[in-house]
Amino acid sequence: MSGQISTTGPMLASPRCGAKTRAGGACRAPAVRGKRRCRMHGGAKGSGAPRANRNARKHGLFTGDAIAERKQVRALLGEARQLLKGMRFRP
Ligand SMILES: [Zn+2]
C-alpha cells in the first residue's frame, strides 16, 4: 500500500519534456535534472551549447571583458567632459 502511492507523487510533479513529437503532442517524458528537455530531446549529457555559447561567438564585441572596457571608457569620457565643463570661461 505504501510503495506506489508514496513514490508516484514526486515523479508526477517533476518537470516534463515539452518537445513536440511526431504525433503532434508534447513528449512528457521526465526532463533531465537542471534542463528542460528529456534525455532523448536534447537533455543528454554533453548536448547543447557550451556555457556562454562560445560556438556563437563571431567577433567578441559582446564578451564581458569588452563590455566592461567600454563602460570604463564611457565613465572616463564623462569625467573628462565634466572637467571641461567646469573649466569653461564665464565672464
Ligand atoms: Zn522528450
Side-chain angles (χ1 to χ4, degrees):
M1 189 70 194
S2 64
Q4 196 185 359
I5 291 171
S6 63
T7 53
T8 48
M11 199 174 87
L12 291 172
S14 68
R16 297 283 140 171
C17 175
K20 194 181 128 188
T21 62
R22 285 190 282 183
C27 168
R28 295 183 359 219
V32 172
R33 191 186 303 270
K35 296 193 179 179
R36 301 190 61 208
R37 290 289 181 255
C38 73
R39 64 198 165 90
M40 291 164 286
H41 288 126
K45 206 171 183 177
S47 66
R51 271 185 71 77
N53 201 353
R54 294 183 302 278
N55 292 345
R57 182 175 161 168
K58 303 284 185 213
H59 41 63
L61 188 66
F62 300 102
T63 59
D65 286 347
I67 291 170
E69 194 179 319
R70 286 197 297 274
K71 193 176 175 181
Q72 276 186 332
V73 168
R74 273 198 308 276
L76 190 69
L77 276 172
E79 278 176 38
R81 283 199 187 100
Q82 286 298 314
L83 188 69
L84 285 172
K85 212 172 177 180
M87 288 166 61
R88 197 163 283 166
F89 174 73
R90 283 186 220 94

